[in-house]
Amino acid sequence: PRVVSFRAGAGADGFLFVQLDSALARNVQYVLTLEFSGLVSNSDRDSFGVVSHRTPEGDGESWVLSTLFSPTYARRAFPCFDEPAYKSTFTLTLLHDAKYTAISNTRVSSSAPVDRSANIVRTRFQPTPIMSTYLLAWVLCQCDKVTTSIAHGGDGDRLELNVWYRDGRPGTGAYAEMLLNATLHTFRSLDAIFDVPYALGKCDSVILPSMAYEGMEHWGAINYNGTRFLAGAMYELVVHEIAHQWFGNLVTHRWWSDVWIKEAFSSYVPILLDSLASGSGSESHRLTLITYVFEHCVANALSALSNPYEMSTDDVMHQFDPMTYTKGP
């Protein structure tokens, strides 16, 4: 079949209608090739999609480019089936200024100058695992890095752990070291508890200047909000995001009405690790959570575990409320 026309749908849901000149046949594989462009948002105005952050740099300024597609904003960057049940592999190539480091879900497969000037670099990444669109991520930054590795799987394989940060705020380097240690401890613990090896050979953690959430569990490229992260508690957030590498990334909810399954379980994992480390049930933490959940229920009426009704893009955002995160603990 040939493409007759394209038409963008009305409203915020961002559907693209493709008209063909004949019907598609069952059990036949088709390839649709599209040329497209997307917008880069400024973090001062919009925190979703592909986002630029301006950061002070001596007497001038520098930029960080990052992505935040969860829950329904991958469609801002490229045409896709932007729902969690539809999974694919992604092979990403970035063209960027040579002074920036390119980070994505997987390891770099090649990086080379585009021309003799060597000012522009083409960085290619290895294919991702099969995953949902909201988990795809990339970052371009001028960052410092702390790194370590741990034994991973058999045959002497190592899991590479990196923390990327901009050393522009007092204490940022020390926080990066703390984040690296927390990440290392959590991966060791969860690899043993789940008995399912982490699916990638590396995990990058990037402390961004800002973002809409406290953290985002992109598979192999976790992002943290520097404005909140550097000022608040670290351990529970780190464990929560790493737990998503299994629950959410490897095993995914079919639709956003069931997002509580991954969020509530990932909120429970820090309690689990505390219990195993102390030999107790972390009862004081549990009591605090029970009180919190009760107060939220009284204030907002009891919430059902899942909401099966049809949702618009705006409705999906409303699923990420406090109750969603506290149903598991």
Side-chain angles (χ1 to χ4, degrees), residues 36-41 47-53 63-70 73-80 82 89-97 100-108 123-126 128 131-143 164 202 204-211 216-224:
F36 57 89
S37 61
L39 297 175
V40 176
S41 303
S47 298
F48 296 98
V50 183
V51 183
S52 64
H53 315 259
W63 293 86
V64 175
L65 188 76
S66 67
T67 58
L68 182 55
F69 295 153
S70 177
Y73 297 98
R75 66 194 70 180
R76 289 187 177 184
F78 56 95
C80 56
D82 199 13
T89 60
F90 300 88
T91 303
L92 181 68
T93 299
L94 296 177
L95 271 67
H96 58 92
D97 194 300
Y100 289 94
T101 298
I103 303 163
S104 189
N105 305 82
T106 53
R107 285 180 167 143
V108 172
T123 300
R124 303 182 190 274
F125 294 90
Q126 296 175 356
T128 69
M131 66 185 195
S132 305
T133 51
Y134 78 92
L135 294 172
L136 183 64
W138 61 86
V139 175
L140 292 173
C141 64
Q142 294 174 277
C143 292
W164 300 86
K202 67 92 177 174
D204 290 301
S205 299
V206 185
I207 304 177
L208 294 174
S210 64
M211 59 184 292
M216 179 59 210
E217 67 269 16
H218 307 120
W219 212 346
I222 301 171
N223 289 349
Y224 294 100

Side-chain angles (χ1 to χ4, degrees), residues 227-253:
T227 59
R228 304 177 192 175
F229 182 77
L230 298 180
M234 174 187 298
Y235 174 73
E236 289 188 9
L237 176 60
V238 171
V239 175
H240 181 100
E241 302 305 337
I242 294 176
H244 277 313
Q245 304 300 300
W246 285 266
F247 291 89
N249 299 4
L250 184 63
V251 180
T252 311
H253 50 288

Side-chain angles (χ1 to χ4, degrees), residues 147-152 158-162 180 184 188 201:
T147 186
T148 189
S149 66
I150 59 174
H152 179 59
R158 308 287 294 180
L159 171 60
E160 178 186 346
L161 302 175
N162 305 305
L180 184 66
L184 184 152
R188 277 181 174 164

